[in-house]
Amino acid sequence: MQECSREDYDRWLDLGFRRNNAGFRLALIQLGVSANKAQNVKKAVQFIKEAAEQQAKVVVLPECFNSPFGNEYFEEYAEQIPGDTTDALCQAARENNVYIIGGSLPEKSGEKLYNTLTACSPLGEIIAKHRKVHLFDIDIPGKIRFKESDTLSPGNSLTTCDIGYCKVGLGICYDIRFAEMASFYADKGCKLLVYPGAFNLTTGPAHWELLTRARAAENQVYVCSVSPARDQNATYVAYGHTLISDPWGTVIGKADETEQIVYADIDLGYVDEVRSSIPIIRQRRLDLYTRATAKQ
């Protein structure tokens, strides 16, 4: 991984990579994940190159893109950050001159395991790390029971990063169910929220698109939810259907369940247009209620 200082990175943005308010092309990679970690990473890097060739400037990977999803896999596939997987992502970001929001991977830190997202700049630097805040502990009788907390620890902070074009709020999967988190990001100036996730065949059809569009419309931001491709033979079967919603709540890009790249051209000016048309930020009754805040 190439190192650079915060000052060097900010100077680089100011000298030419920081764009105007027009926007950028976003690529969402719905990756087929196998039990072969090295092959998963290699394939992710190949898709990143393909997306860059299609003029994408920001590329997003799915949750647990280098590992099968499940408590029985997290310990085996976990690695430190930085590590082999994040080194490969940083190299891909540098070689393809793109930002990469690297889905998530099982992270080992001391005696604890986390479900962790990293973001890499085109300079090959890790610019953000988000540990999943809300762990996926559910029990739907007769359908699915899963407890991430059996193996994983929760993160204890909310995370934004500057991708040159705009500020981005980061979450992982179950984090999208918590509206307060998204509202906090919007108040911090984020115009794009990114949720790598792996909803299942019970929660996916019911809530995956609903939650993505809701978080977008209520905060008047772009929201993308990026899933692994569906593998019916996996121990945990992901729903797929990666998608992105615009600030009006309209789906502007969507996959089926198969491995593919979803592209969307992000118009940052449209965020301002929607907020001007329906000015809910100015219309809040903060004399009656308060907005979400986060511990600093």
Side-chain angles (χ1 to χ4, degrees), residues 7-188:
E7 292 78 11
D8 287 341
Y9 178 60
D10 289 339
R11 189 179 305 113
W12 174 73
L13 287 176
D14 292 335
L15 286 174
F17 204 90
R18 190 183 300 278
R19 306 305 187 190
N20 59 28
N21 207 38
F24 57 94
R25 172 160 282 196
L26 179 69
L28 314 176
I29 299 177
Q30 184 161 284
L31 189 73
V33 178
S34 72
N36 187 322
K37 183 178 183 180
Q39 183 61 34
N40 293 333
V41 175
K42 180 180 179 181
K43 188 162 58 170
V45 168
Q46 291 170 340
F47 272 113
I48 291 166
K49 184 176 186 295
E50 178 182 337
E53 289 171 348
Q54 296 300 316
Q55 308 306 311
K57 299 302 181 184
V58 181
V59 183
V60 186
L61 294 169
E63 183 179 22
C64 283
F65 76 92
N66 73 342
S67 162
F69 188 86
N71 285 319
E72 66 269 40
Y73 302 110
F74 294 144
E75 175 77 37
E76 176 185 355
Y77 285 79
E79 59 184 73
Q80 294 181 335
I81 297 175
D84 291 345
T85 297
T86 53
D87 285 352
L89 293 185
C90 286
Q91 181 177 345
R94 185 170 61 251
E95 290 178 350
N96 294 286
N97 195 35
V98 295
Y99 284 92
I100 297 174
I101 299 176
S104 77
L105 56 88
E107 177 199 5
K108 186 172 182 62
S109 179
E111 298 301 314
K112 292 185 176 181
L113 299 176
Y114 299 93
N115 188 344
T116 302
L117 176 158
T118 57
C120 305
S121 78
L123 288 182
E125 178 198 48
I126 293 177
I127 57 173
K129 183 171 82 168
H130 174 75
R131 290 170 171 166
K132 190 174 187 176
V133 173
H134 304 94
L135 296 184
F136 181 54
D137 288 2
I138 68 165
D139 187 355
I140 303 175
K143 293 186 177 180
I144 183 171
R145 181 183 184 277
F146 197 99
K147 290 191 68 177
E148 273 188 318
S149 62
D150 285 345
T151 56
L152 300 179
S153 296
N156 291 311
S157 62
L158 304 186
T159 312
T160 65
C161 70
D162 186 344
I163 60 166
Y165 304 93
C166 66
K167 185 181 286 188
V168 179
L170 303 175
I172 300 172
C173 199
Y174 203 53
D175 286 338
I176 199 173
R177 290 187 178 272
F178 297 86
E180 299 89 346
M181 184 173 172
S183 296
F184 172 80
Y185 284 151
D187 285 349
K188 288 297 182 181

